[in-house]
Amino acid sequence: MKRGFLAQFLALAMLATVLVQVVSIDAAEAAFAATPVGLETVGIKEAGLAWADFNEDGCLDVIVTTNNPVGPDQWTQLYQSNCSLPNPTFTNVTATHAPGLANARTHGQSLSRQVAWGDMNNDGYVDFVANDTSRLSVWFNKGPAGTPAYGFGDAGGNPVLLVDLPDLTSGFNLEGGGLIDYDGDGDLDIIMENHDLGIELWDNDGTGTFTFWTAAGDPNGTGLPEAASFGDYAAITDYDADGDVDFLARKEATVDLWTNTGGSFVSGGLNITTLNANKGGVAFCDFDDDGLFDLVWTDHPTTQVYRQGPVGTFTATGVPGVPGGSSIDGVSCGDSDNDGDLDLFLTDTNGVDLLYPNTSTPGAISFGASTFAGGAGDGEGASFADYDNDGDLDILLSQTGAANQLWRNDAYQTGATDYLSVRALHDLGGGLSRDALGATMRLYACDGVTALSGVREINGGQGHGSQDPLAVHFGLPLGSDRAYIVRAQFPTGETTQTAIVPSSIAGYRQTSVNNASSDLSACQVQGTVFEDVAGNLLPGAEVIGDGSNPGRTGIDVRLYQDDGDGTPDGGDTLIDSAVTGAGGSYSLTAGLDVDYWVIADAADVTPSAGGSGVAEQTYGPTGAWCADGAGGTNPARGSAGACYGGRAGDTADNFDIATDAEHVAAVVGPNATGRD
């Protein structure tokens, strides 16, 4: 029936952001060039390196472990970036910011094995832990108020020593390890491989005070072994994605993998033979993007990937198949070409290092041939990192007896755009937070079901005595103009979801997620249903929600996905529905990859001035469908304004089907059909 004219009117105001067209393109191939940037220290390198922004200027700094018998300039070194983008360089600040690194040679050893960054005293500033076989030291960051600002250690630049040379009578021969919140209590503990003496754990009380936890007899019930065969380097990862961070140490003829079961460990049943004569590397990386961490094991008995599936079962793949005569130490994983999967970098002690592009598919791991031309010396530790904030991952590697090498990724001469860097933060309260080591992350579409990446992590140590940067780098082959959900699982038990449109981030496309909150607004169509009481189309002095244009609660609103014909009709699919809340607001979840129709049920509205009938739409947002005054319908409005008579002035409203709905507005997704 034809509706009577009312003095009161219903208006649908769409406040959703309209995205531009997404075009999927093949990522540029990584192209690396050796770049002198001030990191070229020579000397004996036994193991690792690690990146972190210790002075909070937005650029990565780095520490490289070194063990050299000559001069303090060749001991373990701390380098600070000058953050002079786009071509930053580094200054060796060991003498000013961590002079105790040089003093560590008092007992004849440098801290040349494992190094890892993390805020161990929960003050909001990133610290580091470093070790050699007989020394384990914690270096607290003094922050911006320190002397010097962001210096490390006590007033003399010396660390807290948890293990020192005299303790050897108790049995210490430390190799790889790092930082782990093993008990989910919100602070970072220390776990270390202790060669033939098992695995050791130091429990943190939250202030950076550590207690040796794996004393004889395991009185604290860690379940970790107190004796073992020889071993070397380690990886700290929640490999089974249950929220508890696990530990793998390369051991000779004994169990390698220890599964965390809520603060105590049990054998993970994995035993891959290694040799003490070759101290290799190990890392967990999801190569086939199936949501399970696979395992890279270098050298003896062979360098290869072990695919995980089902959970806890690792099967040798035989790939990548390194050249004969290779002896592999360092390992790092990163999406060097921004195509969405993890590539594999290996350092070779006998020849040119290797970068294998990932060609895997779900359930089948494979790699292309290495075309990397760098690192012809005795390679040790390595790590991917975007040191110049240009959106692609570079590689730093250390070489024993030769200079460190920084290989800059020049795939994007003017800067990459299809990437997202994500930090996972643990909320400390009082406005403070720290990097949540052990957190895992994965990208999803806005439906929360469709995975758009493999699983990634913020690790506390892996590779060959190394650690990845404290942010996950996602390449985005689907583009940066669409919304993604970052689903993060934290060692403290929380799982959060944060939606982000990467192209909305100004400058370097880095964001953070935290364990205290979720935010899906970037994946939602949000708007307001309000009543234009006077029917005057919101003159300049009026706004939605004022006395003349009150929001209406209790109105049914639906979201339909267009079937591709660009017209609201019976072929469209109902995606979500809601009832307006306070102020007439609603929120509907959408993938934002297609066109949608938002439909409000006018029959729910009782006009403010009383009377009977159904309100007509007189004010339409951009994208509203309006009557043309001749019994038909105009195409969607190009701008907000008058929309008398709803979509069709002489047709009854039918909220149950898009064809006959009166109050319809278009939401143009990035893959819009026939529209800009």
Side-chain angles (χ1 to χ4, degrees), residues 253-529:
T254 53
V255 171
D256 304 304
L257 180 62
W258 292 89
T259 303
N260 190 342
T261 59
S264 62
F265 294 82
V266 298
S267 170
L270 186 68
N271 183 3
I272 303 173
T273 300
T274 188
L275 289 177
N276 185 48
N278 179 64
K279 300 182 185 302
V282 64
F284 285 99
C285 312
D286 182 4
F287 290 109
D288 57 352
D289 286 346
D290 63 351
L292 297 175
F293 285 104
D294 308 302
L295 175 66
V296 189
W297 185 283
T298 74
D299 216 69
H300 189 83
T302 186
T303 296
Q304 65 178 320
V305 173
Y306 293 78
R307 180 180 178 272
Q308 184 179 187
V311 174
T313 299
F314 292 88
T315 303
T317 65
V319 297
V322 300
S326 297
S327 180
I328 304 299
D329 280 350
V331 54
S332 185
C333 307
D335 187 358
S336 64
D337 49 9
N338 282 349
D339 66 350
D341 52 33
L342 294 175
D343 307 305
L344 177 61
F345 184 78
L346 304 171
T347 62
D348 192 345
T349 64
N350 295 331
V352 173
D353 297 328
L354 304 163
L355 174 58
Y356 291 100
N358 192 342
T359 57
S360 303
T361 56
I365 296 176
S366 61
F367 297 92
S370 173
T371 58
F372 190 73
D378 184 349
E380 295 289 338
S383 179
F384 283 102
D386 187 2
Y387 89 98
D388 52 0
N389 287 4
D390 68 347
D392 50 34
L393 292 177
D394 315 292
I395 300 172
L396 177 63
L397 60 96
S398 64
Q399 298 185 118
T400 192
N404 307 322
Q405 293 185 356
L406 189 285
W407 287 81
R408 184 172 186 168
N409 191 344
D410 288 329
Y412 300 91
Q413 297 295 328
T414 58
T417 57
D418 292 338
Y419 72 93
L420 179 64
S421 175
V422 186
R423 295 177 64 190
L425 301 180
H426 175 81
D427 188 356
L428 298 170
L432 296 178
S433 62
R434 66 163 176 82
D435 293 288
L437 276 65
T440 59
M441 289 182 278
R442 197 176 187 190
L443 297 184
Y444 286 83
C446 283
D447 61 11
V449 176
T450 305
L452 300 178
S453 77
V455 63
R456 309 287 186 260
E457 64 163 338
I458 307 294
N459 68 68
Q462 69 172 7
H464 186 66
S466 299
Q467 182 192 30
D468 295 329
L470 303 181
V472 168
H473 178 97
F474 291 101
L476 303 175
L478 297 180
S480 57
D481 293 316
R482 60 170 292 158
Y484 296 84
I485 292 176
V486 180
R487 184 174 298 160
Q489 183 171 258
F490 292 83
T492 42
E494 306 89 350
T495 297
T496 64
Q497 298 191 107
T498 304
I500 184 70
V501 179
S503 62
S504 69
I505 303 172
Y508 186 55
R509 291 180 175 172
Q510 184 173 91
T511 189
S512 63
V513 299
N514 69 72
N515 67 318
S517 62
S518 294
D519 180 7
L520 294 175
S521 58
C523 276
Q524 294 170 334
V525 176
Q526 298 176 326
T528 303
V529 176

